[in-house]
Amino acid sequence: MQRRHVLCALGGILGAHAFTGARGQATGLAQFEAFVVNVRQGQATFTQTVTAPPRQGEPARVRTSRGEFSFLRPDRFRLHYTQPFEQLIVADGQTLWLWDPDLNQVSARAQAQALANTPAALLASAADLRAVRQVFTLSEGEPRDGLAWVEVTPKSREGQIQRMAIGWRDGALVALDVLDGLGQRSELRFGPWRTQGLTAAAFRFQPPPGAEVLRP
């Protein structure tokens, strides 16, 4: 169950060289707009810290994982957790695949339905801020930790996400903080981004031999 909670937290960005403009004192919203308009693909390592609300008489539970995230606009991404255990999520444009190697179990869902109002859809699929604002309410956040922030709230209350914050520095997406409906907080910090060389082939997934495939 812990594994699935970690995966759902993201569900769901780039080196400064990938942006035109969005320098110096640019606002978070300006940097976000440059990202969605100018950046077509990207790949970076990440560290994710998930903090669950404390139970009565117990401290908050904290879990840390690491992996790599890549995307290819308009509708493909790959989220590969490598530590402390391996998990893989692939969106190939039609289907969202989730593979648990330890269980040799694959879950498959229609991508459009599974990714609505998620961080992955926000970062990897939007064409411009107008499209983003059809689904999310955006506002400029207060600067902190040396970053310019964009506060993001889903307009629909049917999803799992309460709110998000996206942190930028000099045109680079550095941080993504997510608070879900259960009060669990997920904080992602990205490494340097590579923005060339990806093709659709990198986002194909074939269930391994013998894997149990679950579909709704």
Side-chain angles (χ1 to χ4, degrees), residues 7 9 31 40 67 88-89 109 124 159 162 168 191 214:
L7 291 170
Q31 296 182 63
R40 310 313 301 169
L88 178 64
I89 302 175
R109 298 179 60 190
Q162 282 193 43
W168 306 86
L214 307 177

Side-chain angles (χ1 to χ4, degrees), residues 6-17:
V6 171
L7 291 170
C8 291
L10 184 62
I13 264 184
L14 303 154
H17 63 279

Side-chain angles (χ1 to χ4, degrees), residues 170-205:
D170 296 331
L173 188 143
V174 176
L176 174 65
D177 292 353
V178 181
L179 182 68
D180 70 17
L182 300 177
Q184 179 172 264
R185 182 178 181 183
S186 178
E187 301 171 280
L188 288 99
R189 298 297 180 263
F190 296 100
W193 286 88
R194 301 179 295 280
T195 58
Q196 296 180 345
L198 292 173
T199 67
F203 303 89
R204 294 172 185 159
F205 179 80

Side-chain angles (χ1 to χ4, degrees), residues 74-155:
D75 55 8
R76 290 172 169 84
F77 76 84
R78 181 183 180 93
L79 181 66
H80 187 195
Y81 287 93
T82 56
Q83 298 178 13
F85 45 79
E86 186 179 13
Q87 298 280 337
L88 178 64
I89 302 175
V90 178
D92 62 12
Q94 299 294 326
T95 302
L96 182 70
W97 303 92
L98 190 158
W99 180 42
D100 185 324
D102 289 344
L103 299 178
N104 200 18
Q105 186 178 84
V106 175
S107 298
R109 298 179 60 190
Q111 180 174 320
Q113 178 183 5
L115 292 183
N117 296 350
T118 65
L122 174 69
L123 297 177
S125 300
D128 53 38
L129 285 196
R130 180 180 300 178
V132 173
R133 285 191 167 105
Q134 292 179 357
V135 184
F136 299 96
T137 299
L138 305 179
S139 62
E140 191 73 25
E142 291 293 327
R144 56 183 171 87
D145 302 327
L147 304 179
W149 291 86
V150 176
E151 302 292 339
V152 183
T153 305
K155 291 185 176 180

Side-chain angles (χ1 to χ4, degrees), residues 50-63 183:
V50 177
T51 304
R55 297 177 180 177
Q56 186 173 7
E58 298 181 4
R61 292 162 292 159
V62 179
R63 302 187 301 275

Side-chain angles (χ1 to χ4, degrees), residues 14-28:
L14 303 154
H17 63 279
F19 294 86
T20 58
R23 301 295 187 190
Q25 299 302 315
T27 65

